[in-house]
């Protein structure tokens, strides 16, 4: 394996588990929340600040203007002139590039597909599933109540979409941005992993 695999996923689809099993199959590092911890340590920001920035990110033009963000995606204005949210995103992006430089790995979320888009050894996967499958998984695997499962899925999908749209300037659900899309509700987690490995020829 000589590639960095990025995983974007709908909430409750099992994308994180797909990523973990891919990393285990290839014997390569797996990164998710570890990226926040490392970015916080290297940048001096508290880990909680990263989480809050992700929750706040929105595709609202008014929010972008209020935060002083360049809505056209040009990040060449210099670090000191950027908002706190942009500085956090850049710190996290720097860590993503570093771990990708170190060795092949699996990275979940964090707009890693966009951050690493200029590289040739990147394989971007989007994991999606039906709402019924995700509702069941949120209850059975995540331990949430049936009453709250739908609200939790909606909130997290919206957060992920807004974070991606805000920093990347494209729709998170635009499947043409990814090299492969898998339906975990149809294939199951293990078969999803197997299909990705087959596609990669590894």
């Amino acid at each position: 394996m000589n590639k960095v695999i990025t995983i974007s996923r709908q909430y409750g689809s099992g994308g994180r588990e797909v990523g973990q099993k891919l990393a285990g199959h290839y014997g390569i590092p797996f990164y998710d929340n570890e990226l926040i911890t490392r970015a916080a340590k290297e940048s001096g920001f508290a880990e909680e600040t990263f989480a809050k920035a992700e929750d706040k990110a929105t595709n609202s033009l008014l929010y972008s203007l209020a935060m002083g963000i360049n809505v056209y995606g040009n990040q060449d204005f210099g670090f000191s002139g950027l908002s706190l949210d942009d500085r956090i995103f850049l710190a996290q992006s720097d860590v993503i590039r570093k771990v990708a430089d170190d060795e092949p790995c699996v990275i979940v979320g964090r707009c890693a597909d966009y951050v690493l888009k200029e590289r040739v050894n990147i394989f971007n996967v989007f994991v999606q599933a039906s709402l019924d499958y995700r509702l069941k998984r949120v209850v059975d695997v995540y331990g949430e109540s049936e009453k709250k499962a739908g609200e939790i899925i909606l909130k997290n999908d919206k957060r992920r979409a807004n974070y991606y749209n805000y920093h990347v300037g494209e729709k998170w659900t635009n499947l043409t941005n990814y090299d492969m899309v898998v339906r975990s509700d149809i294939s199951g987690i293990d078969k999803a992993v197997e299909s990705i490995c087959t596609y990669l020829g590894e």
Side-chain angles (χ1 to χ4, degrees):
M1 167 54 58
N2 63 352
K3 293 184 181 296
V4 173
I5 302 171
T6 74
I7 305 284
S8 299
R9 75 282 185 221
Q10 290 181 316
Y11 189 80
S13 66
R16 188 176 191 276
E17 187 177 347
V18 169
Q20 287 176 316
K21 291 195 171 188
L22 279 171
H25 172 80
Y26 290 118
I28 59 179
F30 172 82
Y31 295 104
D32 184 8
N33 293 329
E34 297 86 353
L35 291 171
I36 291 181
T37 301
R38 181 167 167 179
K41 187 179 295 185
E42 294 186 7
S43 66
F45 291 117
E47 288 185 41
E48 293 77 11
T49 308
F50 283 82
K52 288 178 181 177
E54 189 168 329
D55 284 336
K56 282 170 56 182
T58 173
N59 56 1
S60 164
L61 176 62
L62 288 176
Y63 176 84
S64 298
L65 293 174
M67 293 299 293
I69 306 301
N70 173 25
V71 294
Y72 298 105
N74 185 343
Q75 298 177 334
D76 294 328
F77 286 110
F79 194 81
S80 61
L82 296 175
S83 72
L84 176 61
D85 287 349
D86 265 6
R87 280 182 281 161
I88 289 171
F89 178 75
L90 290 179
Q92 189 167 267
S93 298
D94 187 49
V95 170
I96 289 172
R97 293 188 188 95
K98 285 178 180 177
V99 299
D101 284 340
D102 289 343
E103 59 186 326
C105 58
V106 177
I107 303 174
V108 174
R110 319 297 170 194
C111 302
D113 59 307
Y114 169 75
V115 173
L116 302 173
K117 67 179 181 178
E118 302 299 331
R119 306 195 181 206
V120 296
N121 66 327
I122 301 301
F123 187 73
N124 303 314
V125 178
F126 189 88
V127 181
Q128 60 180 17
S130 68
L131 180 58
D132 285 344
Y133 176 88
R134 294 192 287 146
L135 285 168
K136 187 175 188 308
R137 186 176 173 83
V138 166
V139 173
D140 294 345
V141 179
Y142 302 169
E144 301 291 350
S145 70
E146 291 185 12
K147 185 177 180 179
K148 293 184 177 180
E151 180 184 345
I152 291 169
I153 288 173
L154 180 63
K155 179 181 177 181
N156 280 280
D157 275 356
K158 184 177 181 181
R159 176 176 57 81
R160 289 174 182 176
N162 287 343
Y163 185 78
Y164 190 91
N165 297 353
Y166 171 64
H167 288 293
V168 175
E170 294 186 26
K171 287 193 173 182
W172 173 61
T173 51
N174 180 1
L175 301 184
T176 62
N177 289 334
Y178 307 97
D179 299 307
M180 186 175 185
V181 179
V182 296
R183 284 277 303 269
S184 56
D185 57 322
I186 295 175
S187 65
I189 300 297
D190 290 337
K191 284 292 184 182
V193 173
E194 185 180 320
S195 65
I196 294 169
C197 295
T198 299
Y199 189 93
L200 289 170
E202 300 284 346

